[in-house]
Every structure is written in C-alpha cells, then in structure tokens.
C-alpha cells in the first residue's frame, strides 16, 4: 500500500500511453500536455492493452514510478483527464 496523504489529487490520463516510457518522460508529458507540475499530485497512465497502468507520484522526497498489471480484466479509460 502506498501511503498517500489527504489532499493529493489523482489524475487519470486519457487514451493509452507507451508503457516503455520512464518517469522523466511521463513527467514531461504531464508538464507539456496537461500544463501541470508533476510534483504533488498522482498521475495514472493506461497501456494500450488495458491490463497495465503506470502511476507517477512525487512524495516530497523524490519521484516514484509504480506499475500495476492485472491478471484478469482491464483498466477502463473514460476519455477524460481530470482529478478523481
């Protein structure tokens, strides 16, 4: 379990993301596409097949990149990028 402080917003990126991208590339995407600072909030990126997500989060000490793959089922993309 990742201890996320209260007040942290969760952003879900629209569409699919190349899962080969690292934390620097995803942070740059947050800055350029979303016009947001990647430090502080939590950003979720979905892979093309839908069974993998990458989670980008800066906890105050450093940037972290988490990956979650489902054994069964898929993560659903709703087509909007907004805080959850």
């Amino acid at each position: 379990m990742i201890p996320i402080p209260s007040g942290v917003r969760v952003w879900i990126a629209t569409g699919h993301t190349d899962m080969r991208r690292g934390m620097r590339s995803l942070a740059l995407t947050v800055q350029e596409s979303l016009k947001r600072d990647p430090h502080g909030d939590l950003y979720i990126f979905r892979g093309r097949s839908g069974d993998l997500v990458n989670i980008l989060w800066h906890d105050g000490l450093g940037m972290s990149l988490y990956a979650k793959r489902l054994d069964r089922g898929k993560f659903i993309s709703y087509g909007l990028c907004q805080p959850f």
Side-chain angles (χ1 to χ4, degrees):
M1 187 70 126
I2 304 168
I4 302 172
S6 63
V8 171
R9 292 190 289 182
V10 177
W11 293 81
I12 302 172
T14 60
H16 62 272
T17 304
D18 183 355
M19 292 290 107
R20 296 173 294 182
R21 298 175 68 187
M23 71 177 80
R24 289 183 183 182
S25 178
L26 292 174
L28 186 62
T29 299
V30 169
Q31 289 175 327
E32 292 180 347
S33 298
L34 302 177
K35 306 292 189 244
R36 300 204 42 91
D37 182 11
H39 302 90
D41 291 339
L42 194 137
Y43 298 91
I44 302 174
F45 301 90
R46 178 182 177 264
R48 181 182 297 271
S49 64
D51 64 345
L52 178 66
V53 293
N54 279 346
I55 302 166
L56 184 67
W57 183 46
H58 190 280
D59 62 0
L61 299 175
M63 189 73 70
S64 298
L65 180 63
Y66 300 93
K68 176 70 173 182
R69 183 180 303 276
L70 295 177
D71 290 332
R72 288 179 295 219
K74 303 224 179 268
F75 292 103
I76 299 171
S77 177
Y78 290 101
L80 298 174
C81 186
Q82 55 185 321
F84 173 63

